[in-house]
Amino acid sequence: MITILGIESSCDDTAAAVIQDGVLLSNIISSQKVHENYGGVVPELASRAHQQNIIPVVDQAIKQAGIKKEDLTAIAFTRGPGLMGSLLVGTSFAKGFSTALNIPMVDVNHLHAHVLAHFIKENKEDNHAPQFPFLCLLVSGGNSQIILVKSYKEMEIIGQTIDDAAGEAFDKCAKVMGLGYPGGPVVDRLAKEGNAEKFKLNKPHIQGYDYSFSGLKTSFLYLLRDELKKNPDFIEKNKADLCASLQKTIVDVLMDKLRKAAKDLGIKDVAVAGGVSANSGLRNAFQEHAKQYGWKIYIPPFGYTTDNAAMIAITGYFKYLDGDFCPMDAAPYSRVVM
Ligand code: KG4
């Protein structure tokens, strides 16, 4: 039996999970509320909160899995990309715990883990994973990539944002409408009542599979600025239509490039990962593409799309099977590498 403890601390969620022979036994997450008042994650506060949360979170994951710490085969942890101070907490904890238990350590790339979240099994019979090769649209607050997934360990970023991530685009535009942080889910909710054709927003013209959201953000800002001069209640009166138009534009930008990549590569297995995959507009677009282009689509349960440790544990499990362990002198990395 192979029992892996996964630890995630790359941003503002402290999480631990246990996976046994590929099947999830526990999945604990402590989200940090401390950032809400600041409109974004404050790195130093995140590191401190990880430091406070990590022991209780790991303890709960082990207890809820119904195992003892001595039953663990290896410890998988997020090595990067992410916030350095946050990553250091998980990395140092993994080193200490694996040394104390005298078991190997497996380092996990957070982006690979988001993709491999599709392989988490909730029971032995679970058999919903995508077939290789497949395309994965990874969209979160910090990431926005189109990834060609050739195997558990061979992944290639074939397209990505050249500026803001998709979640950032939602959050920044939501912020200027005064919708709070993170604004993505609020935009989604309000968009359901709005007319997506009401406002025409800027779409980027970029070669290949890359895309951009900074022009959209600026055109959204200019629209609000110009209309507010004429009518100070403009945002209040048009909130739903603004959200619907914004959401449609972001989803269109993502889907245009994903569709192009799928067509060029002749791939019909297409997955989505990351926090923005909760977005109903994006989910509907996936469903429509499945119907229109014969895509086989994979949308994981919400809990596995946002940052979580189950995805770290499953990635660690595959790396463990490969004998791909991490040396004790490994340092975290903050930037994207694939
Ligand atoms: O993966 P995630 O939990 O962590 C980060 O990478 O930060 O993604 C969070 C992002 C935030 O930008 C949030 O606004 C966005 O995902 N998000 C959404 C929705 N739910 C979460 N964006 C649009 N619609 C949603 N329903």
Side-chain angles (χ1 to χ4, degrees):
M1 227 154 24
I2 297 166
T3 310
I4 309 282
L5 171 70
I7 293 170
E8 156 63 25
S9 74
S10 66
C11 190
D12 60 340
D13 295 305
T14 319
V18 175
I19 276 190
Q20 192 162 64
D21 294 334
V23 178
L24 187 65
L25 297 186
S26 66
N27 190 21
I28 306 296
I29 183 154
S30 168
S31 299
Q32 304 175 0
K33 294 265 172 263
V34 61
H35 309 285
E36 275 168 13
N37 297 336
Y38 297 89
V41 177
V42 184
E44 187 175 328
L45 296 181
S47 322
R48 281 195 228 161
H50 282 305
Q51 198 69 264
Q52 288 164 345
N53 296 340
I54 191 131
I55 303 252
V57 164
V58 168
D59 188 48
Q60 210 182 331
I62 290 174
K63 284 199 179 112
Q64 211 174 85
I67 60 159
K68 296 194 288 298
K69 61 184 188 307
E70 292 75 20
D71 299 327
L72 292 170
T73 316
I75 296 176
F77 68 98
T78 306
R79 186 169 171 189
L83 299 171
M84 186 46 85
S86 292
L87 291 164
L88 278 166
V89 177
T91 305
S92 303
F93 180 86
K95 287 184 183 183
F97 205 29
S98 70
T99 306
L101 294 172
N102 197 23
I103 55 175
M105 209 167 64
V106 182
D107 59 326
V108 169
N109 177 325
H110 186 81
L111 303 188
H112 282 212
H114 267 301
V115 173
L116 296 181
H118 286 276
F119 294 84
I120 297 166
K121 289 182 175 204
E122 288 180 347
N123 53 62
K124 275 193 195 127
E125 290 72 40
D126 229 342
N127 189 20
H128 59 274
Q131 303 283 316
F132 299 116
F134 65 94
L135 283 176
C136 185
L137 176 70
L138 171 53
V139 272
S140 69
N143 292 291
S144 225
Q145 284 99 9
I146 299 173
I147 301 172
L148 172 60
V149 190
K150 300 172 201 169
S151 70
Y152 293 121
K153 50 184 180 179
E154 270 180 295
M155 302 188 199
E156 189 188 335
I157 296 175
I158 57 167
Q160 59 189 319
T161 177
I162 58 168
D163 38 59
D164 292 343
E168 239 178 317
F170 271 108
D171 294 342
K172 285 182 176 170
C173 292
K175 195 172 175 182
V176 296
M177 286 190 281
L179 299 182
Y181 175 85
V186 188
V187 171
D188 191 2
R189 185 163 44 77
L190 292 169
K192 292 195 173 102
E193 332 252 283
N195 171 8
E197 306 300 330
K198 178 92 176 268
F199 301 108
K200 291 273 165 279
L201 299 165
N202 205 36
K203 277 197 208 165
H205 298 282
I206 295 169
Q207 295 286 316
Y209 309 127
D210 284 348
Y211 45 88
S212 150
F213 288 118
S214 71
L216 164 66
K217 195 178 59 193
T218 313
S219 84
F220 194 71
L221 262 177
Y222 285 176
L223 169 76
L224 296 187
R225 187 196 59 187
D226 296 346
E227 294 295 334
L228 281 170
K229 273 189 207 150
K230 292 182 247 163
N231 173 11
D233 292 333
F234 175 75
I235 296 181
E236 207 39 55
K237 292 252 151 53
N238 293 279
K239 228 176 223 173
D241 294 341
L242 284 166
C243 287
S245 305
L246 173 67
Q247 176 166 301
K248 181 176 187 310
T249 312
I250 294 176
V251 170
D252 281 354
V253 169
L254 294 170
M255 294 310 290
D256 286 352
K257 291 300 171 113
L258 189 59
R259 190 169 56 247
K260 181 173 160 57
K263 182 168 176 257
D264 292 353
L265 298 169
I267 290 180
K268 288 200 188 266
D269 278 54
V270 187
V272 62
V276 181
S277 57
N279 184 264
S280 56
L282 187 61
R283 285 176 174 240
N284 290 343
F286 260 70
Q287 303 287 359
E288 277 160 26
H289 279 65
K291 269 193 233 143
Q292 199 171 342
Y293 300 100
W295 285 8
K296 213 167 157 197
I297 54 169
Y298 302 89
I299 305 175
F302 181 67
Y304 304 151
T305 63
T306 53
D307 287 350
N308 67 88
M311 68 182 193
I312 306 302
I314 192 75
T315 309
Y317 172 68
F318 293 130
K319 286 190 84 172
Y320 180 89
L321 293 179
D322 268 353
D324 189 356
F325 303 130
C326 174
M328 269 296 151
D329 61 357
Y333 48 86
S334 51
R335 304 287 296 270
V336 173
V337 283
M338 219 41 197

